[in-house]
Amino acid sequence: MSFLLPLLVWAAVSYLPFLWHPLVKVSIAGDSAWVKAGAMLDRKAFAEENTALAAKGLRQMEGKRSNPVFLPPPHAVAKAFYTAFQTPPVLRGDVWLHESLASSINTIFWGFTLSTLIGLPLGILCGAYAFWSRISEPVIDFIRYMPAPAFGALAVAILGINGAPKIAIIFIGTFFQQVLVVANTVRRADPTLVEAAQTLGARGRRLLLTVVVPSKLSELYTDTRILLGWAWTYLVVAEVVGVSSGITFFINQQAKYRNFENVYAAIIMIGLLGLATDQFLAFIGRHLFPWEQKRRSRILSWIDGIRGKMPAPPVENTEAG
């Protein structure tokens, strides 16, 4: 239902002229001296031009009410999902859509992997030991308020104009949040469990690696899933640093050519990729931590609901013949 409602609103605005069609697409220009067939005019300008033509005894224009070109209907965007992959680059140096997607996924992968490799252990240390928390968390808490795009110029100056500064922006946008989130999760370890382990002689690194971290492992996994979504939100910003590339470059190019159905298709693809990644990680999480009573995925619940409403397959009559 949450997907269906905005889709219905979009379809209503696109297909019902009385709701919001502020322009008129000219099909026959008549005797107008400045309007060509195919032009999009404001309804008021269209009416004024026709009035002027009528007053001069000239042929009037014909057209139909339309929405602006930047608001394509759902069927045009659905078609773009297929045709965008088949549309060759317009200019030399432009890239295909699949190349843009591959570049974006590569940027997300390396930016988030580097952030996790450093941020996860540091967050665990900060959550478990006051020493690490005192020397690192104040400055991390300060830097996390600095917007990652502000480091774009520095990243280009230090790392060049290729993929490295983009990965750096993803890293900066994710790392500082990751350390604090992981530290907060580790601090919520069950004190009764920790005291029981200490009573049995567990101390220091042994207490951390055999009691504290395992007890919060499923929550740390969930934190990582959530922070991966955070990394996706920095993708568009990262890809305009240095030489534009990836899905953002494709979106900008298509917007320049006014292929807005391709723009919408590319934006929706980003959302679908993020959602698919999250659902895949959730699927793995349910098998890694089966003791956790996780809420069932909304997507899977929706699919089950659809299946429940489908008619049962016909039963073959084995007695026939």
Side-chain angles (χ1 to χ4, degrees):
M1 182 62 74
S2 61
F3 281 93
L4 188 59
L5 284 176
L7 184 60
L8 287 175
V9 172
W10 183 13
V13 171
S14 299
Y15 300 127
L16 300 177
F18 57 89
L19 282 183
W20 191 69
H21 280 52
L23 302 179
V24 176
K25 185 174 183 179
V26 178
S27 55
I28 299 176
D31 290 329
S32 175
W34 59 275
V35 178
K36 303 294 182 184
M40 303 280 279
L41 296 181
D42 182 82
R43 287 164 57 188
K44 183 179 178 181
F46 181 85
E48 290 176 351
E49 179 66 7
N50 264 349
T51 302
L53 291 172
K56 297 176 183 176
L58 300 176
R59 287 190 303 127
Q60 298 184 32
M61 300 183 296
E62 296 181 16
K64 63 178 182 180
R65 293 176 61 174
S66 302
N67 278 330
V69 67
F70 57 78
L71 187 62
H75 75 275
V77 176
K79 183 180 178 182
F81 264 92
Y82 174 71
T83 58
F85 284 99
Q86 294 186 323
T87 304
V90 177
L91 301 176
R92 180 181 297 178
D94 292 355
V95 294
W96 290 77
L97 176 57
H98 67 273
E99 295 175 325
S100 300
L101 284 174
S103 174
S104 295
I105 292 172
N106 183 65
T107 301
I108 286 285
F109 175 80
W110 285 112
F112 187 71
T113 298
L114 291 174
S115 171
T116 301
L117 288 177
I118 303 174
L120 186 60
L122 182 57
I124 291 174
L125 290 174
C126 290
Y129 300 107
F131 168 77
W132 286 99
S133 176
R134 283 197 293 267
I135 66 168
S136 59
E137 281 198 70
V139 67
I140 289 175
D141 202 18
F142 169 65
I143 297 176
R144 77 185 177 102
Y145 287 105
M146 300 179 183
F151 293 90
L154 285 174
V156 171
I158 297 171
L159 301 172
I161 59 174
N162 295 316
K166 307 177 196 309
I167 294 172
I169 295 299
I170 299 292
F171 177 88
I172 294 170
T174 310
F175 170 75
F176 300 101
Q177 312 290 341
Q178 191 167 23
V179 172
L180 297 178
V181 169
V182 169
N184 187 54
T185 297
V186 172
R187 289 194 187 99
R188 294 202 308 270
D190 188 352
T192 305
L193 186 64
V194 174
E195 290 171 4
Q198 290 174 327
T199 302
L200 295 174
R203 293 288 187 278
R205 185 173 64 180
R206 185 182 177 191
L207 177 65
L208 176 64
L209 298 180
T210 60
V211 178
V212 176
V213 172
S215 71
K216 307 303 292 183
L217 205 55
S218 65
E219 292 183 44
L220 293 174
Y221 184 83
T222 302
D223 291 343
T224 303
R225 277 180 53 204
I226 295 172
L227 287 159
L228 176 58
W230 206 312
W232 275 99
T233 63
Y234 281 101
L235 176 65
V236 173
V237 174
E239 288 185 334
V240 297
V241 173
V243 177
S244 294
S245 63
I247 194 68
T248 305
F249 179 67
F250 177 83
I251 290 173
N252 290 336
Q253 290 297 97
Q254 295 302 314
K256 185 171 69 177
Y257 304 137
R258 301 183 70 78
N259 296 329
F260 288 100
E261 63 277 9
N262 286 351
V263 172
Y264 280 91
I267 293 173
I268 294 173
M269 282 177 198
I270 295 176
L272 290 176
L273 277 174
L275 180 63
T277 305
D278 183 71
Q279 292 300 309
F280 177 69
L281 293 177
F283 172 79
I284 294 177
R286 283 193 292 274
H287 289 77
L288 289 176
F289 314 106
W291 60 88
E292 291 288 341
Q293 296 298 320
K294 299 287 186 182
R295 182 169 57 84
R296 187 166 175 75
S297 165
R298 290 190 180 94
I299 299 295
L300 294 178
S301 300
W302 179 74
I303 293 174
D304 289 344
I306 295 295
R307 285 178 175 173
K309 295 178 181 177
M310 293 178 64
V315 178
E316 295 184 2
N317 187 0
T318 56
E319 297 178 356

